[in-house]
Amino acid sequence: MPKTRFDKTARDPLKELVLGRKSILQLSEVNLAAKMGISTGRLRTMFSGPSDAWKIREVKMLSRALDVPIAEMRELIAR
């Protein structure tokens, strides 16, 4: 009988894009939060959970702050 891995977490492509772009631009959480106009604590709370819990407004602010085309974000949300 094959083994099943229940401890494996599902991929989160939107979160992967945002965190990857953040690291490429070498932005700290403080700088990214300032560019978005939110507190650092709120940004940490967002990143601690899945991107399914993010609000549309927050996704738009991330898109603007990280210079990611909104079409690319929409494509990842649709997955």
Side-chain angles (χ1 to χ4, degrees), residues 3 7-8 20 23 34 38 40 42 44 48 53 56 59 65-66 69 71-72 74 76:
K3 294 182 180 179
D7 61 341
K8 189 174 181 182
S23 69
I38 61 173
T40 308
R42 177 64 193 136
R44 287 185 182 139
S48 68
I56 299 292
V59 173
L66 297 173
E72 191 172 345
R74 283 184 184 144
L76 293 175

Side-chain angles (χ1 to χ4, degrees), residues 20-38:
R21 184 69 179 195
K22 177 183 163 284
S23 69
I24 288 172
L25 295 175
Q26 297 178 347
L27 287 174
S28 67
E29 287 181 347
V30 174
N31 291 339
L32 181 57
K35 284 181 90 172
M36 291 175 63
I38 61 173

Side-chain angles (χ1 to χ4, degrees), residues 21 25 35 62-69:
R21 184 69 179 195
L25 295 175
K35 284 181 90 172
L62 278 169
S63 174
R64 284 188 213 113
L66 297 173
D67 296 323
V68 177

Side-chain angles (χ1 to χ4, degrees), residues 11-12 16 26 33 52 56-57 61-62 66 70 76-77:
R11 289 187 64 223
D12 192 348
E16 288 175 7
Q26 297 178 347
D52 296 343
I56 299 292
R57 178 177 163 263
M61 289 190 303
L62 278 169
L66 297 173
I70 194 70
L76 293 175
I77 290 171

